[in-house]
Amino acid sequence: MTAIQLAALIVIAVGGTVVVLTPEALRQVLALGIYGFGLALLFFSFQAPDVALSEIVVSAVGLPVILLASLRRIREQERSRGREEGGPERQ
Amino acid sequence: MSRRVRLALFAFAGPGLLAVLLIGLHGLPAFGHYRNVYGLLVDKVEPGLRHATDIVTALNFDIRAFDTLGEEFILFASVAGVAVLLRHLRGEEEAEQARGIEDHRFAGASPSLQLTSLILIPLLFALGAYLLLHGQLTPGGGFQAGVVLAAGPLAILLAGRYFALKRMAPESALELVESVGAGGYALIGLGGLIFATVYLKNFLPVGHQGTILSAGMMPINSIAVGLEVAGAFLVTWTEFFDQALIVER
């Protein structure tokens, strides 16, 4: 096992734990994106450049974008619901 | 389920999972020791048979071309599902109302972000085109090229110009690209049925190894899959952004 492979494996182990333990959704999405980038590094170091290429775009761009859009929609809905009930407006 | 029941269940299932994992890990070959004949065989056979140098692409578009057909339509069906679901939620009237908005709320993207996007867009398109056309030669091919090509227009959104993106790539055009890609792959396979008696079998000359026009129908398959994947990703993203950015009124 080369040093790069070992480093990539450690990055993945730490990154995955960070993603799971991040409490706030927005930060979690960012952590997930960075974790995906580490995963691409892992695939590349294990001689799977084809997989690494798709992984970069899918997990560092594609998935976070969908999650961010969904989060925004959910907040929008929560805010308008709070307004209807006359309660304090949530941020 | 209460917390106590869940913990009890885990106390029972956790060690079981650990035991199965340990037994499984014990049976794995040592790191770096490849024991499979299949990979070695494909590595030997495919360069001579189809003149492809990237064996992953050769697997996808030649040896397992039928699997790829299935995967393509899985993607197609799931994107159609997302579109149907989100359009149903949105409703047509809301889309009509939204037409008056000029640009979305993130329109105040900073100049440095806009400049970065401007630099990224041509680079992503160039990389995507390269991957699309060199799939049979170097790592890449239809799927990878498709996602990179789809990421190019996404940089326009980063620059805060979602509606410019909508004008440049309206949903009907994206759907057309996706359908042409998916249908194209199936139709190329039909060529194999007619000229080589087997569906999806190579029926084109394999050409000179190491050039763009080589490896028979792999480059054409790659282009079809690239169009399908790029269209699929852009349709999905557009649907999600329509939800997040337009319906807020």
Side-chain angles (χ1 to χ4, degrees), chain B residues 38-242:
Chain B
Y38 182 75
L40 301 174
L41 198 70
V42 169
D43 258 357
K44 278 271 186 306
V45 166
E46 202 61 6
L49 198 64
R50 300 278 185 250
H51 288 190
T53 51
D54 182 31
I55 305 303
V56 178
T57 306
L59 263 175
N60 283 340
F61 295 143
D62 188 46
I63 297 179
R64 295 186 179 177
F66 195 70
D67 293 21
T68 306
L69 182 76
E71 283 159 15
E72 235 197 333
F73 278 93
I74 290 172
L75 182 66
F76 190 80
S78 44
V79 169
V82 167
V84 166
L85 201 64
L86 292 184
R87 277 177 205 171
H88 175 70
L89 283 175
R90 190 172 68 209
E92 291 302 318
E93 313 124 58
E94 282 179 290
E96 288 293 324
Q97 282 174 3
R99 214 155 271 176
I101 313 172
E102 253 309 296
D103 233 330
H104 72 81
R105 276 216 229 144
F106 297 147
S110 70
S112 56
L113 185 59
Q114 287 182 331
L115 184 67
T116 312
S117 311
L118 199 66
I119 297 168
L120 268 179
I121 294 164
L123 285 179
L124 283 169
F125 272 115
L127 179 66
Y130 172 83
L131 290 175
L132 192 65
L133 295 175
H134 292 73
Q136 76 278 25
L137 305 173
T138 50
F143 186 80
Q144 288 85 348
V147 282
V148 173
L149 281 175
L154 202 66
I156 302 175
L157 173 96
L158 267 185
R161 299 253 178 246
Y162 182 54
F163 283 79
L165 174 65
K166 290 276 274 187
R167 267 197 300 276
M168 194 193 83
E171 218 149 315
S172 52
L174 295 177
E175 283 161 7
L176 188 72
V177 166
E178 196 202 354
S179 314
V180 165
Y185 188 86
L187 286 178
I188 296 164
L190 217 54
L193 189 64
I194 295 168
F195 297 109
T197 67
V198 178
Y199 187 61
L200 284 166
K201 190 178 175 183
N202 183 53
F203 62 96
L204 292 171
V206 288
H208 191 71
Q209 192 163 35
T211 56
I212 289 189
L213 288 177
S214 67
M217 60 184 204
M218 277 178 219
I220 307 172
N221 279 344
S222 168
I223 291 172
V225 171
L227 290 178
E228 209 264 327
V229 171
F233 270 80
L234 282 173
V235 167
T236 314
W237 287 335
T238 312
E239 289 297 338
F240 272 91
F241 284 131
D242 282 354

Side-chain angles (χ1 to χ4, degrees), chain A residues 1 5 46 49-51 53-54 57-58 61-62 65-66 69-70 72-73 76 79, chain B residues 31 54 56 105-106 131 139-140 143-144 147-148 154 237 240-241 243-245 248:
Chain A
M1 202 186 302
Q5 289 172 336
F46 280 91
D50 295 77
V51 191
L53 269 170
S54 346
V57 184
V58 170
V61 184
V65 155
I66 288 177
S70 313
R72 185 183 158 88
R73 180 88 171 109
E76 208 80 25
R79 206 170 296 165
Chain B
F31 184 82
D54 182 31
V56 178
R105 276 216 229 144
F106 297 147
L131 290 175
F143 186 80
Q144 288 85 348
V147 282
V148 173
L154 202 66
W237 287 335
F240 272 91
F241 284 131
Q243 283 286 319
L245 301 175
E248 63 191 27

